[in-house]
């Protein structure tokens, strides 16, 4: 049921988007505006509440409970586990936005701050840390924690609906549960296919910058087809080979690139920027988390923070389920530290190194990074790297990194979607993975052909709204189950 209804809904949406792209864009833009203007506070309050709840669970009396039987131990080493969860959750986004977001905030800051000033530069990193730090990983953590607990501790199917069993009981196996699983599956396909489209755009941007390859829709479709072949090959090899090997490779290349830019870029400036930005982020995390603007009517918040919160929520079912699948045997405390704290620190370092280097070149060297990013967001990273020693070689390595992150995200998404459509089977067959991998790629291609990436992004935000309610119920259900276990 979940498989067929989801396929029908997605095909209907694809057909409408292909035949009437302008109408789809208009409708989704209208709904996006209504949600961000009237319900933005729901996203802000819910995401902050989820983060606090998850950290309290980890450092409270339930932190010692194991996600599995008491004698279970982790299946994967800490390095491979972190590499897989990070590659699935955020890798490609970091490469895409590592330069672009701080530069955008510097040039177009929020809250009436003077553009291209020292204050807007500081604010740029604070908000980059907010958008990519503790909060998004808190969303992934609660979904993954609730699902891993339900699957490995309580022996429920690995489905989003299983996390609500302590509240709904056997109703999770009826129409209500199926509706929750269908929503999770459709959200995952929409979120991941949009990212596939964005990844293709950035790979094309890098190839155009380095090798003067045409930057157009035909090249982008070819890129998607090639990536599809690669991730379908990887998907057929299973977790222990394809995704694990690729994820380890991703982290090694990413760390090597990070170290290179740190030492060959403005090192002292990067260190100073990181320390002052981290201090500002920690001091202002609560005000920024609830930074509504009822008197200014500033659209910045809706375009950035609320958009990000809804975006991470739309990715919650996919990333949370994948993290749950690879986390059997870890304690709640170990899980939360690994899923929230470590990735958040890495993200903050990444934005400071790449974004800091870009702003240093802009402010002190006059290299016009702002102009390059505002003209074409996909080339910001490559323009910045071009001013470093061995710029072309490093830019080519960055394209390889984007590609491997691209493949890993698509591969892990295919794995999760196949699980959803096979009643939570922890090892879905290759046939169903091939079907969903093809659907993901066709979705991305149709969106590029119809100019519908913006509409798809808006749709992710709209569809994330009901999942906010599911996440809140997840928190209540998980706490209820843990409390019941303690009383035994």
């Amino acid at each position: 049921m979940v498989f067929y209804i989801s396929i029908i809904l997605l095909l209907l949406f694809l057909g409408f988007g292909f035949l009437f792209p302008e109408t789809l864009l208009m409708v989704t833009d209208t709904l996006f505006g209504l949600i961000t203007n009237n319900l933005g506070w729901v996203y802000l309050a819910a995401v902050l509440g989820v983060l606090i709840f998850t950290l309290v669970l980890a450092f409270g009396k339930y932190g010692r409970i194991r996600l599995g039987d008491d004698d279970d131990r982790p299946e994967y080493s800490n390095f491979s586990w972190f590499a897989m969860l990070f590659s699935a959750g955020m890798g490609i986004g970091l490469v895409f936005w590592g330069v672009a977001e701080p530069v955008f905030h510097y040039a177009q800051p929020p809250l009436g701050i003077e553009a291209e000033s020292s204050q807007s530069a500081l604010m740029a990193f604070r908000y980059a840390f907010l958008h990519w730090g503790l909060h998004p990983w808190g969303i992934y953590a609660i979904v993954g924690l609730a699902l891993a607990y339900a699957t490995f501790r309580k022996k429920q199917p690995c489905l989003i609906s299983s996390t609500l069993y302590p509240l709904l009981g056997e109703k999770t196996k009826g129409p209500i549960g199926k509706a929750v699983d269908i929503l999770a599956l459709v959200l995952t396909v929409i979120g991941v296919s949009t990212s596939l489209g964005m990844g293709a755009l950035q790979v094309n941007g890098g190839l155009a910058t380095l090798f003067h390859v045409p930057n157009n829709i035909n090249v982008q479709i070819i890129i998607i087809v090639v990536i599809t072949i690669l991730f379908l090959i990887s998907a057929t090899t299973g977790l222990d080979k394809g995704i694990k090997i690729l994820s380890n490779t991703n982290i090694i290349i990413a760390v090597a690139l990070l170290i290179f830019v740190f030492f060959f870029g403005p090192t002292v400036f990067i260190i100073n920027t990181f320390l002052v930005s981290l201090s500002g982020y920690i001091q202002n995390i609560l005000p920024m988390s609830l930074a509504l603007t009822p008197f200014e009517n500033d659209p910045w918040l809706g375009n950035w923070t609320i958009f990000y919160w809804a975006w991470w929520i739309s990715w919650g079912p996919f990333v949370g389920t994948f993290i749950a699948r690879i986390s059997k045997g870890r304690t709640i405390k170990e899980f939360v530290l690994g899923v929230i704290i470590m990735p958040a620190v890495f993200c903050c370092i990444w934005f400071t190194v790449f974004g800091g280097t870009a702003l240093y070149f802009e402010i002190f060297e006059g290299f016009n990074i702002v102009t390059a990013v505002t003209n074409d967001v996909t080339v910001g990273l490559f323009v910045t790297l071009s001013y470093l020693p061995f710029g072309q070689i490093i830019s080519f390595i960055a394209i390889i990194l984007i590609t491997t992150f691209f493949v890993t995200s698509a591969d892990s998404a295919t794995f999760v979607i196949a699980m959803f459509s096979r009643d939570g089977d922890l090892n879905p067959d290759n046939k169903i993975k091939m079907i969903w991998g093809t659907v993901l790629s066709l979705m991305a291609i149709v969106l590029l052909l119809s100019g519908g990436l913006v509409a798809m992004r808006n749709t992710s935000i709209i569809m994330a709204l009901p999942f906010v309610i599911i996440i809140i119920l997840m928190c209540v259900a998980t706490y209820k189950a843990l409390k019941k276990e303690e009383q035994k």
Side-chain angles (χ1 to χ4, degrees):
M1 183 187 297
V2 171
F3 174 81
Y4 289 113
I5 293 178
S6 300
I7 283 284
I8 291 169
L9 290 174
L10 290 167
L11 289 177
L12 288 174
F13 184 85
L14 273 176
F16 185 80
F18 183 73
L19 295 173
F20 310 105
E22 294 180 359
T23 303
L24 179 64
L25 183 60
M26 181 184 67
V27 171
T28 56
D29 265 341
T30 301
L31 291 175
F32 174 77
L34 289 172
I35 288 173
T36 53
N37 291 332
N38 299 299
L39 296 173
W41 63 271
V42 173
Y43 290 101
L44 296 183
V47 171
L48 178 61
V50 164
L51 175 62
I52 293 171
F53 173 77
T54 309
L55 292 173
V56 168
L57 277 188
F59 293 100
K61 58 186 177 181
Y62 301 124
R64 58 181 172 75
I65 293 177
R66 202 167 287 279
L67 301 174
D69 297 330
D70 290 336
D71 58 351
D72 282 339
R73 292 298 179 267
E75 295 179 86
Y76 302 98
S77 68
N78 288 335
F79 180 82
S80 292
W81 179 61
F82 177 79
M84 285 193 285
L85 72 88
F86 190 82
S87 295
M90 222 169 256
I92 196 169
L94 277 186
V95 182
F96 193 95
W97 289 107
V99 166
E101 182 166 342
V103 169
F104 265 119
H105 297 338
Y106 170 71
Q108 302 169 18
L111 309 174
I113 295 170
E114 182 185 353
E116 299 188 23
S117 64
S118 58
Q119 186 62 28
S120 71
L122 288 173
M123 193 62 68
F125 288 102
R126 286 186 196 174
Y127 271 96
F129 287 10
L130 177 74
H131 295 155
W132 296 79
L134 298 173
H135 291 70
W137 290 102
I139 295 168
Y140 295 162
I142 191 57
V143 178
L145 173 60
L147 192 53
Y149 180 81
T151 302
F152 300 122
R153 188 81 176 178
K154 297 301 180 183
K155 314 305 180 187
Q156 295 285 330
C158 192
L159 297 168
I160 296 297
S161 57
S162 297
T163 64
L164 305 180
Y165 190 86
L167 289 178
L168 302 178
E170 292 300 313
K171 291 181 181 178
T172 57
K173 299 175 183 178
I176 294 176
K178 298 301 180 188
V180 169
D181 293 331
I182 289 168
L183 173 64
L185 196 158
V186 173
L187 257 182
T188 298
V189 172
I190 289 174
V192 175
S193 61
T194 306
S195 294
L196 292 182
M198 292 176 65
L201 290 173
Q202 192 178 28
V203 171
N204 195 180
L207 293 174
T209 303
L210 287 180
F211 306 113
H212 306 292
V213 173
N215 197 342
N216 58 42
I217 186 68
N218 294 326
V219 175
Q220 289 151 19
I221 290 174
I222 293 171
I223 290 169
I224 290 177
V225 171
V226 172
I227 296 296
T228 300
I229 294 170
L230 292 176
F231 82 71
L232 287 179
I233 292 172
S234 175
T236 60
T237 62
L239 277 178
D240 293 333
K241 293 182 180 178
I243 295 178
K244 179 181 174 180
I245 293 172
L246 280 174
S247 298
N248 290 346
T249 304
N250 291 342
I251 291 298
I252 292 170
I253 297 175
V255 170
L257 189 63
L258 186 78
I259 292 172
F260 177 89
V261 176
F262 176 75
F263 282 110
F264 285 90
T267 306
V268 174
F269 178 81
I270 290 170
I271 294 172
N272 293 340
T273 300
F274 177 75
L275 293 176
V276 72
S277 300
L278 183 64
S279 172
Y281 170 55
I282 293 172
Q283 291 176 37
N284 295 280
I285 189 168
L286 281 178
M288 288 193 299
S289 299
L290 299 172
L292 292 164
T293 54
F295 302 109
E296 293 90 349
N297 194 27
D298 189 345
W300 189 95
L301 186 69
N303 291 334
W304 286 100
T305 304
I306 294 174
F307 160 69
Y308 266 127
W309 284 185
W311 184 255
W312 301 134
I313 290 168
S314 74
W315 267 59
F318 149 49
V319 180
T321 302
F322 184 75
I323 294 174
R325 172 63 182 82
I326 62 175
S327 299
K328 181 181 180 181
R330 297 185 182 273
T331 64
I332 289 177
K333 184 175 182 179
E334 182 184 6
F335 178 90
V336 171
L337 286 173
V339 175
I340 295 183
I341 307 300
M342 288 174 58
V345 171
F346 188 88
C347 288
C348 292
I349 293 172
W350 183 277
F351 272 94
T352 310
V353 171
F354 287 91
T357 299
L359 285 187
Y360 180 88
F361 286 159
E362 170 70 29
I363 296 168
F364 298 104
E365 303 289 344
F367 285 160
N368 291 325
I369 305 292
V370 169
T371 301
V373 170
T374 51
N375 286 340
D376 185 355
V377 66
T378 67
V379 302
L381 172 65
F382 304 107
V383 171
T384 300
L385 293 178
S386 70
Y387 294 117
L388 293 170
F390 313 107
Q392 278 205 316
I393 296 173
I394 299 304
S395 294
F396 183 71
I397 292 173
I399 292 175
I400 294 174
L401 180 62
I402 295 165
T403 303
T404 56
F405 270 136
F406 199 162
V407 172
T408 311
S409 294
D411 188 353
S412 49
T414 300
F415 189 93
V416 168
I417 296 168
M419 286 172 56
F420 285 160
S421 57
R422 280 289 184 265
D423 290 328
D425 184 356
L426 295 178
N427 295 291
D429 59 86
N430 288 335
K431 180 181 178 182
I432 196 71
K433 286 190 283 187
M434 299 283 280
I435 291 172
W436 281 116
T438 304
V439 169
L440 281 174
S441 298
L442 288 175
M443 176 84 76
I445 290 172
V446 169
L447 288 172
L448 287 172
L449 287 171
S450 61
L453 278 175
V454 174
M456 205 62 166
R457 180 209 66 181
N458 292 347
T459 305
S460 295
I461 309 312
I462 296 163
M463 292 193 62
L465 188 59
F467 204 77
V468 173
I469 300 170
I470 293 173
I471 287 179
I472 294 171
L473 292 176
M474 237 180 240
C475 294
V476 176
T478 302
Y479 179 75
K480 182 178 179 180
L482 290 169
K483 188 174 181 180
K484 184 178 180 180
E485 178 172 336
E486 180 195 25
Q487 293 170 349
K488 287 184 178 180

